[in-house]
Amino acid sequence: MRLQNTDVRDCLIDPNNILDDNPDNRDACLTIDPDGGILEANESASQLFGLGSLDHSPNILDYFHPGAVFHARKNLARVAQGEPLTFTLVLKEPNGTFRPYEVICHPVLKNATYCSTLLIFHPTSLQVLGEELNDARLRADLILCAPDVASWERHLQTNEFTSHNLDTLLGRVPPHSIHSYEDFCKTIHEQDILRYMETCQQAMDTHTVGSVDYRVCLDSGQIKWFCDRFRVLKDADGHAVKLIGITRDMTLLQDNLSNEAQYCPLTGLPNRNLFRQRLEQAIKRSSRTGLPGAALFIDLDKFKEINDSLGHETGDHILVAVANRLSGCLRETDTVARLGGDEFTIMVEDLRQIDQAELVAQKILDAFTTPFVCDGKEFFLTVSIGVSLFPIDTEDVDDLLKKADLAMYQAKDEGRNNYQFFTPEINKRSVERITIKRQLRAALDHDELRLQYQPQVDIYTGEVVGVEALVRWCHPEEGIISPARFIPIAQETGLIVPIGEWVLEMACKQCKAWIDMGLPPIKMAVNLSPRQLKDTRFLDSIRKIIGRSGLDPHYLEFEITEGLLIENIQFGRQILGELKAMGIHLALDDFGTGYSSLSYLKDLPLDILKMDGSFVRNLTTETHNSVIARTIIALAHSLNLNVIAEGVETLEQLEHLRDHECIYVQGFIYSQPVDASIMTERLRQGPFNIIGLT
Ligand code: C2E
Ligand code: MG
Ligand code: MG
């Protein structure tokens, strides 16, 4: 017995009645758990899904066409709420072909509570219509329920041609209606017509069924794909009398199939493909209307950390919440899309004034001032937004997106949680960035890096107490490139790890060489980037490097900036503790420019504060700076830390610092950073003598 909708309801009490492998029961039936895991299947379902050869219980969603999963998941969730329903979707059969099925879903209840879902798969009626129904009247009735299908009949002797729904399907209106087979053939695309007629002929010759896909040029100029299935009807003597068939508009089905290529399955938002398409149309429209539009590139700040610490499932929840929040900021006509990961884009059209784009960006930032709630916990998220305008910045979709992306990076650079509009300067900077990124990889291999050393001096005695190792890139064409330009890029790409290892190795060897030369022992200060400290192999690798060089780690000093320590104070404390335990000294670099939070200063095993050069610069002219400098020095001393002032250039600055009891200084007043050979000479000469220091 074939299962019908009503049967399902009758048998509901016991799904086993349906799953029973009754040979009459040709429909594939199975039960699934709320997550889609297959619990039981009848013989047809086992065959349809190839379950027999599997040694695990698969998930039904794996068999759905990727474009249908989102839709199916939503429907299955409704069923799990107790609502029986029927929907059509495309299944991927084990041989890889896609085929549309009608899926009848019913909740299975136990003691009045939902326990699983019963699914019955029924191939959609295309075949049924085409092959099993000889009655033209019935076919016509059925076709009334299927707006994408038409039926027709062609008498082979008289060539009389009747059809139902064909005119609608082909967008024909009287007097252009289809009255004959010839009329019909005229609508077929010239490249397909021969194939079409051959297939018909073959069906007639062999008295069998036929099926053919072909294109039709509608009067509107649009081209659509259709699929015809037909069969030959014979009279009592076995002569072919009629060709009956159905014509189906494949557009809907194809839309369904290409769903995957259009929407993000997690958030249901348009994906990159669809967004590009819409943007392309919007750009064309704007050139007609003269009204500009904008593309906004939105990236969640530090989303990776949330994802890593709270888990991917929570991460997914947040992305969905973000998608909803973004959608809430827009008008109906605007498009928000998810490009992937934590990147979203928005397209706004018909901007009467450019600052309307600014309003949208601000509205989005505002929308993120309310916390997100996940698992009962509240937390805040911010976004960085880049904006590019069409047709002003460009009329090319990819270029527009690239420019919005670059502007977004600028927003990140400006401290995140803000928006930036694309400008030509941003473009220039990014081109440079990309070039450096590419060439930096080669720089290490080609030995283009070099270390220079700058002395750190005791003001009172003029003695060199240490040197800071500063890396330089000797670019074959551009000459010397400053670390301020390439270190941030090396951080971004991760190249800082091998570069940092090279720096440490060279610095250790040089320090050891000076000691071996019998020069008075000095400290070697080496800069570390946060990215290096985060590398899991960091401690291991520095132990090896120091060990190889033979340098006593007491001579080493690591300069670290605040960023990393603030980000994760626990991690900071732990790793600094390990370094300290090895005997390495620790300095906090650029102090005063970052957060300069007092609470962690006393918590961390630091030895030295390096006062940033920016305070030294106007020390004597701006009382404000002078006060800060004095405060930093007093603070360091109260915490039992040494202070070294960076960027000291003038005698006045030096005197000022000395008066505030800053003992150590580094700066051009003593020496620029110099090559190892010059530094060696300098060390041989003994203490500095600053003429004029009173
Ligand atoms: P930093 O660690 O604060 O280094 C001090 C910077 O100030 C150096 O710039 C130095 O040349 C400069 N400087 C020293 N005395 C004076 C002065 O009297 N006046 C002025 N105006 N500037 C002075 P440099 O060498 O361009 O390095 C810039 C930054 O690049 C460094 O700042 C450091 O953060 C980073 N860097 C340099 N080498 C390395 C390295 O090997 N590894 C890492 N991770 N970063 C490095
Ligand atoms: Mg430094
Ligand atoms: Mg510094």
Side-chain angles (χ1 to χ4, degrees):
M1 180 198 68
R2 184 171 207 117
L3 275 164
Q4 299 294 321
N5 243 340
T6 46
D7 297 326
V8 182
R9 277 153 223 255
D10 293 341
C11 302
L12 233 197
I13 301 96
D14 186 0
N16 290 328
N17 286 352
I18 298 174
L19 291 167
D20 200 6
D21 286 333
N22 178 343
D24 287 342
N25 182 4
R26 294 196 282 134
D27 284 326
C29 305
L30 40 79
T31 55
I32 56 167
D33 65 26
D35 296 323
I38 298 177
L39 302 171
E40 299 159 288
N42 70 353
E43 187 53 37
S44 305
S46 292
Q47 271 174 18
L48 178 62
F49 298 112
L51 300 178
S53 56
L54 294 179
D55 53 2
H56 64 282
S57 180
N59 193 298
I60 192 66
L61 296 172
D62 298 340
Y63 294 93
F64 295 170
H65 184 278
V69 170
F70 182 66
H71 171 61
R73 216 194 274 271
K74 265 201 324 212
N75 280 333
L76 291 178
R78 278 169 59 190
V79 181
Q81 297 291 320
E83 179 188 351
L85 52 87
T86 302
F87 61 96
T88 309
L89 59 65
V90 180
L91 271 192
K92 188 174 171 189
E93 295 182 345
N95 64 8
T97 55
F98 289 109
R99 205 169 147 181
Y101 277 81
E102 187 176 58
V103 192
I104 302 160
C105 314
H106 240 280
V108 178
L109 310 177
K110 226 176 226 159
N111 301 331
T113 22
Y114 165 85
C115 70
S116 60
T117 298
L118 172 70
L119 300 180
I120 297 161
F121 292 88
H122 187 56
T124 46
S125 41
L126 190 60
Q127 219 166 344
V128 178
L129 280 171
E131 289 170 19
E132 295 183 4
L133 295 176
N134 289 345
D135 184 318
R137 184 69 235 140
L138 189 53
R139 268 202 323 272
D141 282 350
L142 270 171
I143 278 169
L144 282 178
C145 337
D148 55 339
V149 179
S151 76
W152 47 260
E153 246 181 82
R154 175 180 155 205
H155 283 265
L156 297 175
Q157 274 84 27
T158 60
N159 229 0
E160 187 191 337
F161 186 82
T162 50
S163 65
H164 296 276
N165 212 30
L166 197 58
D167 286 336
T168 320
L169 216 58
L170 298 177
R172 294 262 165 150
V173 282
H176 304 289
S177 309
I178 308 278
H179 295 295
S180 65
Y181 177 63
E182 281 70 30
D183 280 345
F184 179 42
C185 288
K186 274 186 211 148
T187 63
I188 297 176
H189 195 286
E190 56 181 18
Q191 286 180 5
D192 298 336
I193 183 70
L194 209 61
R195 197 161 41 87
Y196 186 91
M197 292 172 114
E198 272 171 13
T199 318
C200 283
Q201 193 57 51
Q202 205 173 25
M204 288 187 288
D205 291 347
T206 56
H207 290 195
T208 52
V209 296
S211 108
V212 58
D213 292 342
Y214 58 96
R215 281 162 290 181
V216 162
C217 315
L218 302 187
D219 287 344
S220 63
Q222 192 188 359
I223 292 185
K224 279 184 157 189
W225 277 95
F226 285 81
C227 173
D228 274 17
R229 285 183 77 90
F230 35 75
R231 67 179 298 195
V232 176
L233 289 188
K234 293 173 271 188
D235 61 14
D237 303 329
H239 296 122
V241 286
K242 273 191 214 173
L243 198 62
I244 59 164
I246 57 157
T247 296
R248 186 170 193 189
D249 179 350
M250 301 303 282
T251 328
L252 280 181
L253 194 66
Q254 272 171 351
D255 280 353
N256 205 357
L257 287 173
S258 63
N259 232 5
E260 163 209 26
Q262 305 242 287
Y263 289 95
C264 152
L266 176 69
T267 60
L269 292 180
N271 68 5
R272 183 188 292 269
N273 277 339
L274 185 55
F275 186 75
R276 281 188 79 264
Q277 280 171 30
R278 292 200 184 160
L279 198 54
E280 202 154 0
Q281 286 155 5
I283 293 173
K284 280 191 193 132
R285 269 196 299 275
S286 105
S287 72
R288 273 202 308 274
T289 60
L291 289 173
L296 284 77
F297 203 109
I298 300 158
D299 189 278
L300 302 184
D301 295 331
K302 307 197 173 185
F303 180 70
K304 193 176 170 305
E305 282 162 36
I306 294 179
N307 217 21
D308 289 349
S309 60
L310 300 179
H312 289 257
E313 206 168 313
T314 310
D316 281 357
H317 282 306
I318 294 171
L319 287 172
V320 173
V322 166
N324 293 336
R325 218 170 262 199
L326 289 175
S327 307
C329 295
L330 302 178
R331 299 172 300 182
E332 292 263 295
T333 48
D334 303 332
T335 296
V336 53
R338 177 173 175 230
L339 293 201
D342 59 343
E343 292 175 346
F344 294 84
T345 42
I346 286 178
M347 173 186 98
V348 280
E349 278 189 84
D350 295 348
L351 299 173
R352 312 256 150 206
Q353 272 151 351
I354 298 300
D355 56 12
Q356 272 178 278
E358 212 165 339
L359 288 181
V360 177
Q362 188 55 50
K363 203 164 161 193
I364 294 167
L365 292 181
D366 292 345
F368 282 79
T369 53
T370 331
F372 286 81
V373 183
C374 213
D375 295 336
K377 273 181 274 176
E378 278 197 350
F379 55 90
F380 287 90
L381 263 182
T382 58
V383 291
S384 299
I385 307 172
V387 189
S388 58
L389 302 166
F390 56 86
I392 299 131
D393 291 329
T394 173
E395 287 187 66
D396 178 81
V397 176
D398 293 312
D399 196 29
L400 189 73
L401 282 174
K402 200 183 98 199
K403 287 180 163 152
D405 187 25
L406 291 177
M408 188 277 291
Y409 267 104
Q410 182 65 22
K412 293 251 176 208
D413 279 354
E414 305 269 318
R416 307 192 176 96
N417 193 19
N418 71 99
Y419 61 84
Q420 296 290 328
F421 277 68
F422 173 79
T423 61
E425 293 82 75
I426 290 184
N427 203 27
K428 195 168 144 251
R429 215 168 318 156
S430 73
V431 168
E432 180 185 282
R433 244 176 140 101
I434 292 163
T435 321
I436 289 192
K437 220 179 237 182
R438 219 182 28 238
Q439 297 181 341
L440 194 54
R441 285 177 203 282
L444 253 181
D445 301 337
H446 298 166
D447 243 0
E448 289 169 13
L449 297 183
R450 190 169 89 200
L451 279 192
Q452 287 197 322
Y453 303 90
Q454 188 179 33
Q456 300 177 328
V457 180
D458 179 327
I459 299 187
Y460 294 95
T461 62
E463 262 173 322
V464 177
V465 292
V467 292
E468 177 174 9
L470 294 159
V471 68
R472 271 90 187 87
W473 176 7
C474 306
H475 191 280
E477 282 134 38
E478 292 203 28
I480 297 203
I481 299 181
S482 137
R485 258 176 82 196
F486 72 85
I487 293 283
I489 295 168
Q491 290 227 58
E492 237 171 64
T493 53
L495 271 173
I496 190 66
V497 173
I499 290 178
E501 286 173 354
W502 180 87
V503 168
L504 183 63
E505 176 144 15
M506 296 305 286
C508 287
K509 277 189 189 154
Q510 186 57 62
C511 192
K512 178 78 168 55
W514 283 327
I515 294 171
D516 291 348
M517 284 177 205
L519 293 167
I522 53 167
K523 267 185 320 184
M524 173 63 78
V526 176
N527 291 286
L528 289 186
S529 296
R531 178 76 163 67
Q532 284 173 271
L533 290 166
K534 279 191 199 162
D535 191 66
T536 46
R537 296 172 303 114
F538 172 70
L539 284 171
D540 240 20
S541 114
I542 62 161
R543 272 197 193 97
K544 279 196 193 120
I545 293 171
I546 299 169
R548 265 204 307 270
S549 73
L551 180 73
D552 180 342
H554 286 100
Y555 292 114
L556 265 181
E557 183 167 285
F558 283 165
E559 297 192 1
I560 297 154
T561 47
E562 288 169 290
L564 171 97
L565 305 174
I566 285 285
E567 231 173 66
N568 190 341
I569 187 95
Q570 192 125 19
F571 173 72
R573 198 181 301 134
Q574 187 205 333
I575 196 139
L576 295 195
E578 303 239 17
L579 295 174
K580 191 81 194 155
M582 290 165 67
I584 299 168
H585 292 93
L586 299 171
L588 198 56
D589 205 353
D590 304 341
F591 187 75
T593 57
Y595 305 83
S596 312
S597 152
L598 296 182
S599 58
Y600 72 77
L601 269 184
K602 59 178 192 323
D603 256 11
L604 296 169
L606 296 167
D607 302 286
I608 287 194
L609 287 192
K610 285 196 87 175
M611 185 185 351
D612 192 67
S614 56
F615 302 111
V616 176
R617 205 157 303 133
N618 302 314
L619 197 56
T620 49
T621 50
E622 281 176 27
T623 39
H624 174 68
N625 268 356
S626 164
V627 172
I628 296 180
R630 224 173 27 226
T631 313
I632 292 177
I633 296 165
L635 170 75
H637 288 162
S638 74
L639 290 169
N640 244 347
L641 300 173
N642 275 319
V643 195
I644 178 162
E646 292 185 275
V648 183
E649 295 181 356
T650 67
L651 205 56
E652 280 151 298
Q653 291 165 347
L654 198 64
E655 282 177 342
H656 220 84
L657 288 164
R658 188 197 51 184
D659 293 347
H660 293 315
E661 294 175 359
C662 173
I663 305 171
Y664 304 107
V665 293
Q666 178 182 342
F668 295 168
I669 186 159
Y670 289 112
S671 168
Q672 302 252 348
V674 292
D675 288 348
S677 56
I678 300 176
M679 196 63 217
T680 310
E681 271 318 298
R682 183 56 267 200
L683 291 174
R684 285 213 171 101
Q685 287 165 17
F688 279 96
N689 185 12
I690 298 292
I691 308 143
L693 189 64
T694 49

